[in-house]
Amino acid sequence: MSERLTKSAARNIFYGGTIFFLVIFIGLTLHSHNYIVNESSNQDQLTPSVVAGKHVWERNSCINCHTLLGEGAYFAPELGNVWVRYGGQDDPEGARDMLKAWMAAQPTGIEGRRQMPQFNLTDQELDELVDFLKWTSEIDTQNWPPNEAG
Amino acid sequence: MKYQSQKVALYYIYGALTLFAAQILFGVVAGTVYVFPNVLSELLPFNVIRMIHTNALIVWLLMGYFGAAYYLLPEECETELHSPKMAIIQFWLFMAATAAAVVGYILGYHEGREFLEQPLPIKVGIVVVALMFLYNTTLTLLKGRKTAVSNVLMVALWFVALLFLFAFYNPSNLAVDKMYWWYVVHLWVEGVWELIMASILAFLMIKMTGVDREVVEKWLYVMVSLSLFTGILGTGHHYYWIGTPGYWQWIGNVFSTLEVVPFFAMVVFCFYMVWKGGRDHPNKAALLWSLGCSVMAFFGAGVWGFMHTLSSINYYTHGTQITAAHGHLAFYGAYVMLNLAIFTYALPYLRGREPYNQQLNMWGFWITTSAMAFMTFTLTFAGVVQTHLQRVLGMNYMEVQDQVALFYWMRLGAGVVVLIGVTMIIWSLVVAPRGPRVTAGARLPAE
């Protein structure tokens, strides 16, 4: 390594540069926080039911099989757009019933097919979970995923 | 080993290896469920198996870093640890919290954000463990010699703890939640963990190659600068599709492409130091792990990361088996191999033995590394097929999974070979060697 760069100069570049990039990053994050709350998500529709649905989602560790907006395990289908996939935009009642019926039918026990556990959710919890998934499908994700398959 | 208090590192190394074994076992079980989906489905669902697989990995890596810090700080600072007793209490607390978490997961006590599933009391326990560690090591650092290696390592470990505090923030708005979740996940593994990696590699190079400390430490500052200058804004590649603004695509494309650079610098650094030093260190296995770590990290984190980091590609590959392929090789190359390098280096000193079971250890290296590479290839192929069928043609997820079943069989095969390789590595490190005990000071490392 060049003799012109001394160790203390390298150290100062490290600390100075890190602070520089960290400040930019935090600034952009705060801007993005505002953007999410005001533009890309329906903060005003974050009802108690949607919030409770997020907790149902978390309590049952759904993320360790499914993905949500592409993040999670890759063992089961993407659910960020499951509301759209089930036709919730045209027929909300039908989609809700189908999702709840799906949850009730698990596990299928079909040989050679991946099994989803029976989580024994109450009817209210199921509604909350569906509300959460519906709310999630309405986040502006720059048009991701590319198609309904998720 | 020059300082008695370095011995506490033994607890951490053995603890880490125990959890390493658990991580691999649960990985093989998860791989089995992929090809026999009905296995264990009632008793131990896939989500629980995966939680234990990923959590055990993260915890044993952290435990390894703690052990590495307790081993190298006294040598770097030229003083005994502030409190060896506190370090031992910290270890048992960490082990207890981990055991409680695993039992809890099996019984259904967990939270539900990926990797941060630990119930609140366990999270608090982790913070207490981190505080004990930082108190102990920082006081050691303050009373002794300050080197670049110890400074960078301690800065990194402080940030590991500070960033973990975001695990306590779980906003109701999913998009906001995801944005700050990456503060823990990305800024750990593509940020401050790279500092830990660079500083431990620098320590190993100083000890094993005999290259002048001034040279190594200048390199160290350059490498960690590259890591953070690219890695902090490189977080942008996680902010493409979660409700964050479109400008992150520009930032993510540019900076996360550059994230390859620090990994390449670490390869050049390690090989250049070994070439320049020319010292014939007896612990060949530790040298192999150090060099292997830099190379596999470059491929796993660097090349496989770049493969799907551009937003125009990531739009199609995001959340497919491509991500899984990258995740496996990146963690193995960068952080698993780093820990195995420092364990292989330190254990002979800690136990007062000649470097032992070198052949077995190196066979373990080649078998495990080859199998991890093969696993990565199979998952990459699965991911390419999945991306095309599902994201381009719009085929249903489960139908696509049936199409890539062959790759999951090959992945399971690779996983079984990894289990064999890891067994050899752990055996070579832990089971008492038959070689003669060396007298203290006979094999002191280079300065």
Side-chain angles (χ1 to χ4, degrees), chain B residues 65-370:
Chain B
Y65 301 152
F66 289 156
Y70 283 133
Y71 178 81
L72 71 80
L73 274 179
E75 277 187 26
E76 286 294 298
C77 303
E78 297 183 330
T79 175
E80 294 287 353
L81 283 178
H82 173 69
S83 167
K85 189 174 276 176
M86 189 171 180
I88 293 170
I89 296 170
Q90 182 215 332
F91 168 78
W92 286 114
L93 194 59
F94 199 19
M95 252 340 225
T98 308
V102 171
V103 174
Y105 289 172
I106 293 171
L107 297 177
Y109 295 100
H110 49 72
E111 294 183 6
R113 293 193 300 159
E114 197 185 4
F115 311 132
L116 306 179
E117 296 93 348
Q118 311 81 29
L120 187 64
I122 304 280
K123 283 200 180 83
V124 174
I126 293 171
V127 171
V128 172
V129 165
L131 286 176
M132 289 170 80
F133 171 80
L134 290 171
Y135 173 80
N136 206 349
T137 48
T138 306
L139 285 187
T140 308
L141 183 69
L142 289 178
K143 76 175 173 178
R145 180 178 69 149
K146 286 146 198 79
T147 66
V149 169
S150 56
N151 284 344
V152 170
L153 183 65
M154 286 310 299
V155 166
L157 289 163
W158 267 98
F159 269 95
V160 166
L162 286 174
L163 290 166
F164 183 71
L165 296 180
F166 282 93
F168 291 90
Y169 176 52
N170 184 6
S172 309
N173 186 316
L174 181 74
V176 177
D177 167 9
K178 280 177 174 290
M179 186 170 68
Y180 291 106
W181 179 80
W182 284 113
Y183 266 54
V184 190
V185 177
H186 174 95
L187 291 181
W188 268 22
V189 299
E190 293 173 65
V192 292
W193 282 28
E194 284 181 41
L195 271 53
I196 296 173
M197 177 179 167
S199 58
I200 292 178
L201 284 178
F203 174 80
L204 288 168
M205 289 300 129
I206 290 171
K207 297 294 169 180
M208 288 194 290
T209 68
V211 172
D212 186 50
R213 176 180 286 276
E214 280 298 306
V215 177
V216 171
E217 294 195 327
K218 206 195 308 184
W219 268 92
L220 174 60
Y221 278 123
V222 172
M223 291 185 296
V224 293
S225 297
L226 290 170
S227 293
L228 290 189
F229 297 177
T230 62
I232 292 174
L233 288 177
T235 315
H237 64 198
H238 302 294
Y239 292 169
Y240 293 159
W241 328 116
I242 60 168
T244 28
Y247 57 69
W248 284 110
Q249 291 180 32
W250 286 97
I251 298 169
N253 280 331
V254 171
F255 284 90
S256 72
T257 298
L258 294 173
E259 279 187 48
V260 182
V261 177
F263 286 107
F264 187 68
M266 285 193 238
V267 178
V268 175
F269 165 72
C270 288
F271 280 83
Y272 181 54
M273 290 303 125
V274 170
W275 172 75
K276 193 179 155 95
R279 186 169 180 267
D280 196 20
H281 195 274
N283 199 333
K284 294 272 177 283
L287 203 57
L288 181 64
W289 280 108
S290 308
L291 293 171
C293 168
S294 71
V295 172
M296 295 312 287
F298 170 69
F299 281 106
V303 178
W304 253 257
F306 174 69
M307 202 180 273
H308 59 143
T309 203
L310 297 176
S311 59
S312 52
I313 293 173
N314 192 262
Y315 183 68
Y316 295 100
T317 59
H318 180 50
T320 62
Q321 294 297 323
I322 299 275
T323 319
H326 161 60
H328 279 86
L329 199 63
F331 265 98
Y332 175 71
Y335 304 122
V336 171
M337 293 180 85
L338 174 74
N339 269 307
L340 293 175
I342 185 81
F343 295 174
T344 301
Y345 172 79
L347 273 174
Y349 295 121
L350 287 168
R351 298 174 66 181
R353 304 270 183 178
E354 293 273 5
Y356 47 84
N357 285 350
Q358 291 269 294
Q359 291 300 323
L360 188 63
N361 188 320
M362 289 196 274
W363 273 104
F365 168 95
W366 288 110
I367 290 171
T368 310
T369 304
S370 310

Side-chain angles (χ1 to χ4, degrees), chain A residues 7-148:
Chain A
K7 191 169 95 179
S8 63
R11 185 194 58 210
N12 294 342
I13 290 170
F14 168 60
Y15 286 112
T18 298
I19 291 168
F20 174 77
F21 283 106
L22 209 51
V23 168
I24 294 179
F25 178 66
I26 292 170
L28 289 173
T29 310
L30 293 177
H31 175 265
S32 300
H33 189 138
N34 262 320
Y35 174 87
I36 291 169
V37 171
N38 295 315
E39 291 187 46
S40 67
S41 72
N42 297 322
Q43 181 76 14
D44 54 326
Q45 293 169 29
L46 210 51
T47 60
S49 178
V50 173
V51 175
K54 185 169 185 277
H55 289 302
V56 173
W57 167 267
E58 290 170 356
R59 209 165 44 244
N60 295 287
S61 191
C62 310
I63 198 81
N64 274 295
C65 286
H66 292 278
T67 49
L68 192 63
L69 304 188
E71 294 163 3
Y74 319 101
F75 186 69
E78 163 68 29
L79 295 185
N81 68 338
V82 71
W83 180 252
V84 180
R85 193 156 62 236
Y86 274 55
Q89 287 167 323
D90 302 322
D91 178 11
E93 282 314 306
R96 182 176 296 269
D97 291 342
M98 271 160 64
L99 277 166
K100 287 164 76 169
W102 173 264
M103 295 285 294
Q106 306 305 318
T108 61
I110 299 170
E111 196 58 38
R113 193 182 160 87
R114 295 185 192 169
Q115 297 298 306
M116 176 162 155
Q118 176 50 252
F119 290 105
N120 299 310
L121 301 182
T122 64
D123 199 54
Q124 189 193 343
E125 286 171 325
L126 283 169
D127 273 321
E128 291 164 345
L129 184 61
V130 174
D131 286 341
F132 168 66
L133 292 172
K134 174 180 181 291
W135 185 90
T136 300
S137 74
E138 289 158 359
I139 297 173
D140 173 7
T141 55
Q142 314 281 336
N143 291 320
W144 193 91
N147 56 51
E148 273 189 13

